[in-house]
């Protein structure tokens, strides 16, 4: 906890943003950092609440010791706060920027709609760690002689690789794309998290003995059987990138795209990568001077909104089939869990038109080119209401309604040939690979992250990577010092 009476004396504050008119002109981060003194005041608001749900399973999947590092920041012990935060979270500079902060929803002060600004304090600690030069390689003192291959370098793969490297194993990470990071690099826009944060962590991990092999797709450039022969363990962290089928008639029109190819393409532009990305559309997608419609109400849809504005879209409309949620939730019914309430992202606040309780019926066009999106209002069972149809002008449309599971083919096709890799009905590698052992039905193969649990948050991917690393370390050596 922080100051005993801090929550009574200090108002909740979070960092301000650059004005929308300024930030849509670039792809850099636009949060205006708070001073150390201001962050210390926010940490002081952490109260002696008895049962801190913020770092329990309802609030933080990786069990960040939030009251502890709030107290350390309040006391000015930034180095102690850095050590404490990194004891549970390998990459707090990632989560401090892009996590939706379920910990704040679970904060006791959220009963009064004034939770501790946990995410703000976490990002400040992570950034202070770099400012103080505290992010240095931590190579293992003793090598085990065991070799581990990690497939995929998203947050789950990176977290697992770092933990396994620090445990003394020789770790090799295989990444399909040209740079490490997975969808953390290629799916999340730079205005939410600039990619130099990933580069700095990769350099730290290389200093710890982790080897990255980019441009290598397992199942295409290298076989799973080769990894099984070369390594003592293989961890599959391939993510869940297969877009969910919206079931909307597209009528063969040009200008309709899934969200992820659009985001990947723009991230590659910002990163100076002009070569086409493997597995993604090579068609040039650009929203400048266009009317854009985004189908979906989640984070990926919001990322499309912000990207379109920065490319110079004339108008961006976001369609959500769900009813408009209430401004505030009934605390007695939902706290400390994540509540359904009206939330406005920074991208939506840049000028998006939001339509709620609307179904997308079909895409319409002329001469094979998209000109509009036909919609209708829906009832409580999400069925279109006759007579409420309308058409929204659109030159470009993105479908952003989530992901159905991992991509088929490639590794999964390779692993499924005679190996009987067990998967659930959605295609996730969760059958046999439970949350303790993470081991699949295939010899020497473990799985973690979205490919195991389905589409989820970065913080969940980090948790799974850490826990899978512990399970592998225990299997290979018979003992482990890696944390749960």
């Amino acid at each position: 906890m922080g100051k005993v009476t801090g929550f009574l004396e200090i108002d909740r504050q979070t960092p301000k943003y650059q004005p929308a008119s300024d930030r849509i002109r670039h792809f850099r981060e636009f949060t205006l950092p708070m001073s150390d003194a201001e962050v210390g005041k926010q940490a002081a608001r952490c109260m002696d609440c008895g049962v801190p749900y913020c770092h329990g399973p309802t609030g933080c999947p990786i069990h960040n010791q939030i009251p502890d590092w709030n107290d350390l920041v309040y006391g000015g012990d930034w180095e102690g706060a850095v050590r404490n935060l990194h004891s549970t979270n390998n990459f707090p500079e990632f989560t401090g920027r892009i996590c939706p902060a379920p910990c704040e929803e679970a904060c006791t002060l959220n009963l009064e709609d004034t939770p501790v600004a946990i995410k703000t304090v976490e990002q400040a600690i992570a950034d202070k760690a770099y400012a103080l030069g505290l992010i240095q390689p931590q190579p293992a003192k003793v090598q085990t002689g065991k070799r581990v291959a990690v497939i995929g370098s998203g947050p789950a793969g990176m977290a697992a690789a770092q933990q396994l490297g620090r445990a003394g194993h020789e770790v090799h990470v295989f990444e399909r794309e040209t740079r490490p990071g997975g969808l953390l690099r290629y799916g999340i826009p730079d205005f939410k998290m600039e990619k130099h944060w990933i580069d700095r962590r990769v350099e730290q991990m290389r200093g710890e003995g982790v080897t990255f092999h980019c441009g290598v797709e397992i199942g295409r450039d290298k076989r799973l059987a080769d990894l099984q022969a070369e390594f003592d363990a293989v961890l599959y962290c391939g993510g869940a990138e297969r877009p969910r089928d919206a079931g909307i008639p597209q009528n063969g029109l040009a200008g309709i795209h899934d969200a992820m190819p659009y985001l990947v393409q723009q991230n590659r532009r910002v990163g100076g990568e002009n070569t086409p990305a493997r597995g993604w559309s090579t068609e040039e997608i650009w929203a400048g001077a266009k009317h854009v419609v985004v189908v979906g109400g989640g984070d990926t849809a919001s990322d499309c909104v912000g990207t379109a504005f920065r490319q110079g879209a004339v108008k961006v409309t976001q369609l959500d089939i769900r009813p408009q949620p209430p401004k505030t939730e009934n605390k007695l019914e939902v706290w400390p869990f994540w509540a359904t309430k009206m939330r406005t992202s920074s991208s939506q606040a840049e000028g998006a038109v939001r339509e709620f309780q609307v179904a997308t019926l079909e895409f319409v066009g002329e001469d094979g080119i998209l000109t509009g999106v036909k919609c209708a209002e829906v009832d409580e069972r999400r069925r279109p209401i006759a007579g409420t149809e309308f058409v929204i002008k659109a030159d470009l449309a993105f479908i952003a309604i989530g992901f159905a599971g991992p991509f088929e083919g490639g590794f999964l096709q390779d692993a499924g040939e005679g190996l009987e890799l067990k998967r659930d009905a959605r295609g996730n590698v969760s059958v046999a690979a439970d949350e303790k052992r993470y081991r699949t039905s295939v010899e020497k193969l473990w799985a973690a992250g979205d490919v195991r649990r389905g589409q989820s948050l970065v913080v969940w991917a980090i948790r799974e990577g850490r826990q899978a690393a512990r399970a592998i370390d225990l299997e290979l050596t018979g003992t482990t010092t890696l944390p749960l």
Side-chain angles (χ1 to χ4, degrees), residues 106-123:
C107 178
T108 302
L109 286 174
N110 191 39
L111 288 168
E112 297 293 331
D113 291 316
T114 57
V116 175
I118 299 170
K119 182 176 177 179
T120 297
V121 179
E122 179 180 19
Q123 180 179 336

PDB file of all heavy atoms in Angstrom, residues 106-123:
ATOM      1  N   ALA A 106     -10.510  -4.265 -10.796  1.00  0.00           N
ATOM      2  CA  ALA A 106     -10.604  -5.042  -9.558  1.00  0.00           C
ATOM      3  C   ALA A 106     -10.178  -4.242  -8.323  1.00  0.00           C
ATOM      4  O   ALA A 106     -10.309  -4.736  -7.199  1.00  0.00           O
ATOM      5  CB  ALA A 106      -9.739  -6.302  -9.669  1.00  0.00           C
ATOM      6  N   CYS A 107      -9.674  -3.027  -8.527  1.00  0.00           N
ATOM      7  CA  CYS A 107      -9.243  -2.188  -7.402  1.00  0.00           C
ATOM      8  C   CYS A 107     -10.431  -1.862  -6.505  1.00  0.00           C
ATOM      9  O   CYS A 107     -11.535  -1.568  -6.979  1.00  0.00           O
ATOM     10  CB  CYS A 107      -8.621  -0.903  -7.944  1.00  0.00           C
ATOM     11  SG  CYS A 107      -8.093   0.279  -6.678  1.00  0.00           S
ATOM     12  N   THR A 108     -10.218  -1.904  -5.204  1.00  0.00           N
ATOM     13  CA  THR A 108     -11.292  -1.600  -4.254  1.00  0.00           C
ATOM     14  C   THR A 108     -11.833  -0.195  -4.466  1.00  0.00           C
ATOM     15  O   THR A 108     -13.040   0.055  -4.328  1.00  0.00           O
ATOM     16  CB  THR A 108     -10.792  -1.757  -2.806  1.00  0.00           C
ATOM     17  OG1 THR A 108     -10.315  -3.104  -2.632  1.00  0.00           O
ATOM     18  CG2 THR A 108     -11.896  -1.482  -1.809  1.00  0.00           C
ATOM     19  N   LEU A 109     -10.968   0.735  -4.833  1.00  0.00           N
ATOM     20  CA  LEU A 109     -11.403   2.108  -5.060  1.00  0.00           C
ATOM     21  C   LEU A 109     -12.280   2.233  -6.300  1.00  0.00           C
ATOM     22  O   LEU A 109     -12.943   3.256  -6.483  1.00  0.00           O
ATOM     23  CB  LEU A 109     -10.197   3.041  -5.178  1.00  0.00           C
ATOM     24  CG  LEU A 109      -9.470   3.350  -3.858  1.00  0.00           C
ATOM     25  CD1 LEU A 109      -8.217   4.165  -4.119  1.00  0.00           C
ATOM     26  CD2 LEU A 109     -10.391   4.081  -2.901  1.00  0.00           C
ATOM     27  N   ASN A 110     -12.315   1.201  -7.142  1.00  0.00           N
ATOM     28  CA  ASN A 110     -13.210   1.246  -8.294  1.00  0.00           C
ATOM     29  C   ASN A 110     -14.665   1.144  -7.866  1.00  0.00           C
ATOM     30  O   ASN A 110     -15.568   1.445  -8.656  1.00  0.00           O
ATOM     31  CB  ASN A 110     -12.879   0.123  -9.282  1.00  0.00           C
ATOM     32  CG  ASN A 110     -13.595   0.293 -10.608  1.00  0.00           C
ATOM     33  OD1 ASN A 110     -13.729   1.407 -11.122  1.00  0.00           O
ATOM     34  ND2 ASN A 110     -14.080  -0.810 -11.169  1.00  0.00           N
ATOM     35  N   LEU A 111     -14.916   0.757  -6.647  1.00  0.00           N
ATOM     36  CA  LEU A 111     -16.282   0.784  -6.132  1.00  0.00           C
ATOM     37  C   LEU A 111     -16.817   2.214  -6.112  1.00  0.00           C
ATOM     38  O   LEU A 111     -18.027   2.441  -6.126  1.00  0.00           O
ATOM     39  CB  LEU A 111     -16.331   0.184  -4.720  1.00  0.00           C
ATOM     40  CG  LEU A 111     -16.144  -1.341  -4.656  1.00  0.00           C
ATOM     41  CD1 LEU A 111     -15.926  -1.781  -3.219  1.00  0.00           C
ATOM     42  CD2 LEU A 111     -17.344  -2.057  -5.259  1.00  0.00           C
ATOM     43  N   GLU A 112     -15.901   3.180  -6.099  1.00  0.00           N
ATOM     44  CA  GLU A 112     -16.265   4.599  -6.170  1.00  0.00           C
ATOM     45  C   GLU A 112     -15.859   5.215  -7.504  1.00  0.00           C
ATOM     46  O   GLU A 112     -15.798   6.436  -7.638  1.00  0.00           O
ATOM     47  CB  GLU A 112     -15.584   5.364  -5.026  1.00  0.00           C
ATOM     48  CG  GLU A 112     -16.012   4.923  -3.630  1.00  0.00           C
ATOM     49  CD  GLU A 112     -17.467   5.274  -3.346  1.00  0.00           C
ATOM     50  OE1 GLU A 112     -17.953   6.269  -3.929  1.00  0.00           O
ATOM     51  OE2 GLU A 112     -18.114   4.555  -2.576  1.00  0.00           O
ATOM     52  N   ASP A 113     -15.544   4.370  -8.483  1.00  0.00           N
ATOM     53  CA  ASP A 113     -15.130   4.820  -9.824  1.00  0.00           C
ATOM     54  C   ASP A 113     -13.856   5.651  -9.811  1.00  0.00           C
ATOM     55  O   ASP A 113     -13.630   6.467 -10.711  1.00  0.00           O
ATOM     56  CB  ASP A 113     -16.253   5.610 -10.506  1.00  0.00           C
ATOM     57  CG  ASP A 113     -17.438   4.735 -10.866  1.00  0.00           C
ATOM     58  OD1 ASP A 113     -17.219   3.633 -11.388  1.00  0.00           O
ATOM     59  OD2 ASP A 113     -18.587   5.168 -10.599  1.00  0.00           O
ATOM     60  N   THR A 114     -13.002   5.440  -8.814  1.00  0.00           N
ATOM     61  CA  THR A 114     -11.733   6.168  -8.749  1.00  0.00           C
ATOM     62  C   THR A 114     -10.592   5.205  -8.432  1.00  0.00           C
ATOM     63  O   THR A 114      -9.883   5.372  -7.439  1.00  0.00           O
ATOM     64  CB  THR A 114     -11.774   7.276  -7.682  1.00  0.00           C
ATOM     65  OG1 THR A 114     -12.103   6.679  -6.405  1.00  0.00           O
ATOM     66  CG2 THR A 114     -12.785   8.341  -8.032  1.00  0.00           C
ATOM     67  N   PRO A 115     -10.385   4.167  -9.254  1.00  0.00           N
ATOM     68  CA  PRO A 115      -9.332   3.189  -8.942  1.00  0.00           C
ATOM     69  C   PRO A 115      -7.948   3.812  -8.974  1.00  0.00           C
ATOM     70  O   PRO A 115      -7.734   4.857  -9.601  1.00  0.00           O
ATOM     71  CB  PRO A 115      -9.491   2.148 -10.049  1.00  0.00           C
ATOM     72  CG  PRO A 115     -10.097   2.909 -11.193  1.00  0.00           C
ATOM     73  CD  PRO A 115     -11.047   3.877 -10.539  1.00  0.00           C
ATOM     74  N   VAL A 116      -7.032   3.175  -8.291  1.00  0.00           N
ATOM     75  CA  VAL A 116      -5.632   3.584  -8.364  1.00  0.00           C
ATOM     76  C   VAL A 116      -5.182   3.500  -9.821  1.00  0.00           C
ATOM     77  O   VAL A 116      -5.552   2.567 -10.546  1.00  0.00           O
ATOM     78  CB  VAL A 116      -4.751   2.674  -7.477  1.00  0.00           C
ATOM     79  CG1 VAL A 116      -3.278   3.012  -7.639  1.00  0.00           C
ATOM     80  CG2 VAL A 116      -5.169   2.785  -6.026  1.00  0.00           C
ATOM     81  N   ALA A 117      -4.391   4.454 -10.264  1.00  0.00           N
ATOM     82  CA  ALA A 117      -3.908   4.484 -11.654  1.00  0.00           C
ATOM     83  C   ALA A 117      -2.763   3.483 -11.812  1.00  0.00           C
ATOM     84  O   ALA A 117      -1.609   3.844 -12.061  1.00  0.00           O
ATOM     85  CB  ALA A 117      -3.460   5.894 -12.031  1.00  0.00           C
ATOM     86  N   ILE A 118      -3.099   2.202 -11.684  1.00  0.00           N
ATOM     87  CA  ILE A 118      -2.096   1.141 -11.651  1.00  0.00           C
ATOM     88  C   ILE A 118      -1.298   1.082 -12.947  1.00  0.00           C
ATOM     89  O   ILE A 118      -0.066   0.968 -12.942  1.00  0.00           O
ATOM     90  CB  ILE A 118      -2.776  -0.210 -11.370  1.00  0.00           C
ATOM     91  CG1 ILE A 118      -3.479  -0.176 -10.018  1.00  0.00           C
ATOM     92  CG2 ILE A 118      -1.756  -1.348 -11.409  1.00  0.00           C
ATOM     93  CD1 ILE A 118      -4.382  -1.371  -9.753  1.00  0.00           C
ATOM     94  N   LYS A 119      -1.990   1.144 -14.068  1.00  0.00           N
ATOM     95  CA  LYS A 119      -1.315   1.058 -15.360  1.00  0.00           C
ATOM     96  C   LYS A 119      -0.320   2.207 -15.540  1.00  0.00           C
ATOM     97  O   LYS A 119       0.779   2.014 -16.070  1.00  0.00           O
ATOM     98  CB  LYS A 119      -2.359   1.074 -16.475  1.00  0.00           C
ATOM     99  CG  LYS A 119      -1.800   0.941 -17.875  1.00  0.00           C
ATOM    100  CD  LYS A 119      -2.932   0.882 -18.895  1.00  0.00           C
ATOM    101  CE  LYS A 119      -2.399   0.835 -20.312  1.00  0.00           C
ATOM    102  NZ  LYS A 119      -3.484   0.742 -21.317  1.00  0.00           N
ATOM    103  N   THR A 120      -0.696   3.389 -15.085  1.00  0.00           N
ATOM    104  CA  THR A 120       0.190   4.548 -15.170  1.00  0.00           C
ATOM    105  C   THR A 120       1.456   4.332 -14.365  1.00  0.00           C
ATOM    106  O   THR A 120       2.572   4.615 -14.826  1.00  0.00           O
ATOM    107  CB  THR A 120      -0.542   5.804 -14.668  1.00  0.00           C
ATOM    108  OG1 THR A 120      -1.666   6.066 -15.524  1.00  0.00           O
ATOM    109  CG2 THR A 120       0.378   7.014 -14.646  1.00  0.00           C
ATOM    110  N   VAL A 121       1.299   3.810 -13.146  1.00  0.00           N
ATOM    111  CA  VAL A 121       2.454   3.566 -12.286  1.00  0.00           C
ATOM    112  C   VAL A 121       3.330   2.473 -12.879  1.00  0.00           C
ATOM    113  O   VAL A 121       4.562   2.566 -12.883  1.00  0.00           O
ATOM    114  CB  VAL A 121       2.000   3.197 -10.863  1.00  0.00           C
ATOM    115  CG1 VAL A 121       3.205   2.911  -9.971  1.00  0.00           C
ATOM    116  CG2 VAL A 121       1.154   4.311 -10.250  1.00  0.00           C
ATOM    117  N   GLU A 122       2.709   1.431 -13.419  1.00  0.00           N
ATOM    118  CA  GLU A 122       3.481   0.330 -14.011  1.00  0.00           C
ATOM    119  C   GLU A 122       4.337   0.815 -15.177  1.00  0.00           C
ATOM    120  O   GLU A 122       5.526   0.484 -15.265  1.00  0.00           O
ATOM    121  CB  GLU A 122       2.534  -0.767 -14.493  1.00  0.00           C
ATOM    122  CG  GLU A 122       3.262  -1.938 -15.142  1.00  0.00           C
ATOM    123  CD  GLU A 122       2.331  -3.029 -15.620  1.00  0.00           C
ATOM    124  OE1 GLU A 122       1.122  -2.754 -15.796  1.00  0.00           O
ATOM    125  OE2 GLU A 122       2.804  -4.160 -15.835  1.00  0.00           O
ATOM    126  N   GLN A 123       3.746   1.599 -16.074  1.00  0.00           N
ATOM    127  CA  GLN A 123       4.532   2.105 -17.197  1.00  0.00           C
ATOM    128  C   GLN A 123       5.656   3.005 -16.711  1.00  0.00           C
ATOM    129  O   GLN A 123       6.777   2.961 -17.237  1.00  0.00           O
ATOM    130  CB  GLN A 123       3.638   2.873 -18.174  1.00  0.00           C
ATOM    131  CG  GLN A 123       4.421   3.422 -19.373  1.00  0.00           C
ATOM    132  CD  GLN A 123       3.547   4.158 -20.368  1.00  0.00           C
ATOM    133  OE1 GLN A 123       2.342   3.913 -20.447  1.00  0.00           O
ATOM    134  NE2 GLN A 123       4.143   5.054 -21.138  1.00  0.00           N
TER     135      GLN A 123
END
